[in-house]
Amino acid sequence: MSISMIGIDHSKASVDIRAKFSFTKKRAIEAMKKLKEEHGILGCIILSTCNRMEVWVSTQDDEEISLYDFLCKEKEVEKDEYQDYFMKRENEEAVRHLFYLTSGLKSQILAEDQIITQVKDALTLARDAYCTDNVLEVLFRMAVTAAKKVKTEVTFSRANTSVIHQAMERLKNQGFSFEGKTCMVIGNGEMGKVTALALKEAGADVTVTVRQYRSGVVNIPQGCKRINYGERMELLPDCDLVVSATASPNYTLTKENFEEIKLDAASVVLIDLAVPRDIDPEVGKLQNVSLYDIDSFRIDAASPKLQASMQKAGEILDDQMKEFYDWFNGRDIFPRIEEIKADAVEDLNLRITKILKKTPMEQKDRESLLRAIDTAAGKVVNKMIFGLRDSLEQEVFLDCVEGLEKIYES
């Protein structure tokens, strides 16, 4: 069995190129179901975020499948136009990429929090659509476990919890103060809530747009106001800062919207955190408007302290990846080892029972002792067999397993 992936991300493609290959949850499910029906595909997962889109598959070793061709057909784009933006990885390279990615070490904002949830959600979506398989299931789960271990044990002094924190830091360095500023957040999804909370904590007066304005149905961060999405243009003239972070396929703010209003503030800052874009790029050309997109905020320099943190995280991930390879390389042999262990424990049980019958003790104590012996015997057999696996060449180890199986053949 092989593991492979193809992906496009912020390191090679602009926000507009990435938008051509992004997936909503509904579209991702539809695409995964089509891909799963392809000959040779055992399982598949699509990971689609603001900064990247990746397609993961597990296949039989001898299968040749072009994930890029599948994507281009799915997105109805010319194959020759976008191939240079994609990276293809297989097996060990793919596994390493996923572990580092899930830990936030390949994120635009280093060690950001959201990628762990995004990887978990991608796995859940594929699982609910019956598109994943055992190998991808274990790979993604172990990558998430490794990422949590990195987050617990490694401190990244320059890391931010999300792109909005990096954006706010950049604006502060440019002299923008959030204290008392009128801010509007368009979108009440996960990114919108993180944004609203960050702005509120910085001292801003924050209003969040919601699609359904019904008390008790839509939750927003405490201390923030709410308006219906359709009322956003009434508030916009009073705003010092507007952040848009929706999953809408259409612009939330257009050049025409701004031509219909008069800005009361001397200038307004717009931050577009969506892929595809929420704000028409033409808006950025208007007077007294500063427009930033999600690619505007990057960490380019790595301090010695940050490099040390990266090294420590890499050591943790190497250990976690070894655990995955141990499982992956032994997944076919595990059922055979379990049968050998069961036969060996039964053999010991039969022999020891004859002795225990002659030993004066209560029946319940005898049964308890037998259970303890069975458990200990199973652990000893496991230790011996897996010790052989770790010290012998694979072919020799398989010969040993076959020999042990023959001992108990009837």
Side-chain angles (χ1 to χ4, degrees), residues 10-21:
H10 61 87
S11 66
K12 297 184 70 173
S14 69
V15 59
D16 294 314
I17 298 297
R18 299 199 303 275
K20 294 180 182 294
F21 295 93

Side-chain angles (χ1 to χ4, degrees), residues 315-330:
E315 292 170 356
I316 292 172
L317 294 179
D318 284 343
D319 289 341
Q320 297 294 302
M321 282 186 282
K322 183 180 182 301
E323 288 189 19
F324 170 74
Y325 290 130
D326 286 345
W327 173 85
F328 184 77
N329 294 328

Side-chain angles (χ1 to χ4, degrees), residues 259-275:
E259 291 174 347
E260 296 171 359
I261 63 172
K262 181 180 179 182
L263 295 176
D264 292 339
S267 62
V268 61
V269 176
L270 307 178
I271 301 177
D272 186 349
L273 299 182
V275 178

Side-chain angles (χ1 to χ4, degrees), residues 66-339:
S66 175
L67 295 177
Y68 180 70
D69 287 354
F70 171 82
L71 270 175
C72 290
K73 182 179 179 181
E74 190 70 16
K75 291 297 184 178
E76 299 180 344
V77 299
E78 293 294 328
K79 291 191 293 185
D80 296 339
E81 192 170 353
Y82 300 103
Q83 195 156 6
D84 290 343
Y85 295 105
F86 280 84
M87 281 291 296
K88 179 181 178 182
R89 301 176 178 90
E90 296 181 345
N91 299 321
E92 287 82 2
E93 184 184 6
V95 171
R96 184 176 184 83
H97 166 74
L98 183 65
F99 273 69
Y100 273 73
L101 168 68
T102 310
S103 299
L105 303 187
K106 293 195 172 188
S107 294
Q108 186 174 0
I109 306 302
L110 187 64
E112 50 97 1
D113 295 336
Q114 291 179 311
I115 187 62
I116 298 179
T117 301
Q118 290 164 344
V119 171
K120 286 172 59 180
D121 289 347
L123 172 59
T124 300
L125 195 67
R127 182 193 299 139
D128 292 346
Y130 301 100
C131 291
T132 188
D133 70 334
N134 192 37
V135 169
L136 291 181
E137 176 86 27
V138 173
L139 172 62
F140 272 62
R141 280 198 288 106
M142 293 186 74
V144 168
T145 299
K148 291 179 178 178
K149 189 175 180 65
V150 168
K151 185 168 182 60
T152 300
E153 299 184 13
V154 182
T155 300
F156 289 90
S157 57
R158 292 190 60 183
N160 293 277
T161 55
S162 72
V163 66
I164 188 60
H165 292 87
Q166 183 64 18
M168 290 171 64
E169 186 66 26
R170 180 72 60 85
L171 291 176
K172 286 179 183 178
N173 292 338
Q174 295 173 2
F176 187 95
S177 173
F178 293 91
E179 185 68 37
K181 290 294 194 298
T182 300
C183 300
M184 176 168 58
V185 178
I186 302 176
N188 190 43
E190 186 63 31
M191 180 66 81
K193 290 176 181 176
V194 170
T195 298
L197 182 59
L199 292 172
K200 184 64 182 176
E201 290 176 344
D205 180 8
V206 183
T207 300
V208 180
T209 70
V210 296
R211 290 283 186 177
Q212 293 179 319
Y213 186 37
R214 286 179 288 183
S215 178
V217 175
V218 179
N219 294 319
I220 62 173
Q222 188 174 5
C224 297
K225 305 171 187 175
R226 71 171 81 192
I227 59 171
N228 188 279
Y229 173 78
E231 300 171 351
R232 68 194 185 286
M233 298 311 301
E234 298 175 18
L235 177 63
L236 194 145
D238 300 324
C239 292
D240 301 290
L241 172 72
V242 177
V243 181
S244 190
T246 77
S248 172
N250 304 312
Y251 290 139
T252 58
L253 295 175
T254 66
K255 186 177 180 181
E256 289 72 22
N257 291 146
F258 278 80
E259 291 174 347
E260 296 171 359
I261 63 172
K262 181 180 179 182
L263 295 176
D264 292 339
S267 62
V268 61
V269 176
L270 307 178
I271 301 177
D272 186 349
L273 299 182
V275 178
R277 291 178 187 269
D278 268 355
I279 303 175
D280 182 356
E282 292 297 313
V283 172
K285 299 177 182 179
L286 298 175
Q287 188 175 8
N288 298 329
V289 174
S290 299
L291 174 61
Y292 300 89
D293 61 33
I294 197 169
D295 287 345
S296 301
F297 311 104
R298 299 177 182 270
I299 295 179
D300 299 318
S303 66
K305 188 174 182 179
L306 184 59
Q307 291 175 354
S309 296
M310 289 285 287
Q311 182 177 350
K312 183 177 180 181
E315 292 170 356
I316 292 172
L317 294 179
D318 284 343
D319 289 341
Q320 297 294 302
M321 282 186 282
K322 183 180 182 301
E323 288 189 19
F324 170 74
Y325 290 130
D326 286 345
W327 173 85
F328 184 77
N329 294 328
R331 70 194 187 285
D332 295 331
I333 203 75
F334 285 163
R336 295 169 64 186
I337 292 175
E338 285 299 309
E339 288 185 15

